[in-house]
């Protein structure tokens, strides 16, 4: 005989977890990790705190899932940029992608991976480290791509791939901060164009 407990255990979840995670990502993107309260998150997700914990874990675990979604969604331009046939094409696509993502006509401006935990207390230490690792991983992927460009003769042999990757990613992160401050897309594009004007050519 089916008990009340077994019926509750087998009951389908009463909300769309994918949609809830999308909404949580937007809250973290707009407010940062510490700025996003549990009530901000659950109100946006349309679920109770109990349901949030059951489906996603605690706030830090929810943030980690939201960052994964951000990486595979708004920030997926990086993966596409790395497939460009030239190093200059890679850099151009990265900066175009970050400008497009951080100045969307609707939704938060700036970059979740840059601003999500810039100012956090002790409780946000793990998230701050997580985002530093996320940014460094992106830089490493660009460095590997630029090393390939040196090996292929697309960049001059004296090029330092690590330094060039750090230059491009630092510029991208700076663009994200400027976008969050309200600088418009056209001005950011002019900045990117100026930064790439003296690109090292083989």
């Amino acid at each position: 005989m089916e008990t009340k407990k077994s019926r509750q255990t087998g009951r389908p979840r009463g909300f769309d977890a994918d949609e809830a995670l999308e909404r949580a990502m937007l809250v973290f993107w707009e407010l940062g990790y510490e700025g996003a309260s549990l009530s901000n998150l659950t109100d946006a997700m349309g679920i109770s705190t109990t349901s949030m914990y059951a489906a996603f874990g605690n706030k830090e675990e929810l943030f980690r899932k939201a960052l994964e979604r951000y990486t595979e969604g708004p920030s997926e331009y990086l993966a596409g940029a790395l497939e460009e046939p030239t190093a200059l094409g890679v850099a151009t696509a990265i900066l175009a992608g970050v400008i497009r993502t951080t100045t969307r006509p609707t939704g938060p401006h700036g970059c979740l991976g840059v601003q999500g935990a810039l100012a956090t207390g002790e409780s946000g230490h793990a998230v701050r480290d997580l985002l530093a690792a996320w940014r460094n991983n992106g830089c490493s992927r660009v460095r590997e791509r630029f090393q390939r460009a040196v090996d292929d003769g697309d960049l001059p042999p004296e090029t330092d791939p690590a330094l060039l990757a750090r230059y491009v990613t630092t510029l991208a992160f700076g663009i994200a901060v400027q976008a969050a401050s309200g600088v418009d897309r056209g001005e950011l594009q002019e900045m990117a164009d100026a930064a790439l004007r003296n690109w090292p050519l083989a």
Side-chain angles (χ1 to χ4, degrees):
M1 179 177 176
E2 185 183 40
T3 65
K4 181 179 180 182
K5 183 177 180 180
S6 68
R7 287 197 306 271
Q8 289 176 334
T9 302
R11 182 181 299 159
R13 188 178 287 151
F15 64 93
D16 184 329
D18 193 59
E19 177 63 26
L21 184 57
E22 173 75 15
R23 293 178 180 178
M25 179 194 73
L26 293 172
V27 172
F28 282 128
W29 190 350
E30 183 172 4
L31 301 179
Y33 177 72
E34 284 200 341
S37 67
L38 285 179
S39 61
N40 292 146
L41 291 163
T42 53
D43 286 351
M45 297 165 80
I47 60 177
S48 68
T49 304
T50 302
S51 295
M52 188 202 85
Y53 279 115
F56 301 105
N58 62 23
K59 181 181 174 183
E60 182 182 322
E61 290 168 333
L62 175 62
F63 183 84
R64 288 176 182 273
K65 291 181 174 69
L67 182 61
E68 289 174 6
R69 186 176 185 87
Y70 181 80
T71 303
E72 296 166 0
S75 191
E76 55 87 28
Y77 64 83
L78 176 60
L82 294 174
E83 298 300 320
E84 289 290 326
T86 66
L88 177 56
V90 170
T92 301
I94 288 173
L95 298 184
V98 76
I99 291 169
R100 186 172 61 251
T101 300
T102 59
T103 59
R104 304 188 314 168
T106 59
H109 284 183
C111 172
L112 171 62
V114 173
Q115 295 152 252
L118 283 182
T120 58
E122 193 58 37
S123 64
H125 186 75
V127 168
R128 190 165 62 245
D129 289 347
L130 171 68
L131 291 181
W134 182 86
R135 293 190 297 270
N136 285 330
N137 177 65
C139 186
S140 294
R141 292 170 68 190
V142 177
R143 175 186 57 75
E144 290 168 3
R145 177 63 184 83
F146 287 168
Q147 180 62 63
R148 195 161 78 246
V150 172
D151 295 342
D152 293 345
D154 176 46
L155 284 171
E158 67 274 13
T159 301
D160 182 339
L163 180 61
L164 191 59
R166 187 66 68 185
Y167 172 72
V168 171
T169 54
T170 298
L171 180 60
F173 298 147
I175 284 172
V177 172
Q178 292 295 313
S181 302
V183 178
D184 67 52
R185 182 174 293 193
E187 187 173 346
L188 294 174
Q189 188 61 59
E190 288 177 5
M191 183 193 314
D193 292 343
L196 297 180
R197 207 160 282 145
N198 295 315
W199 188 258
L201 298 174

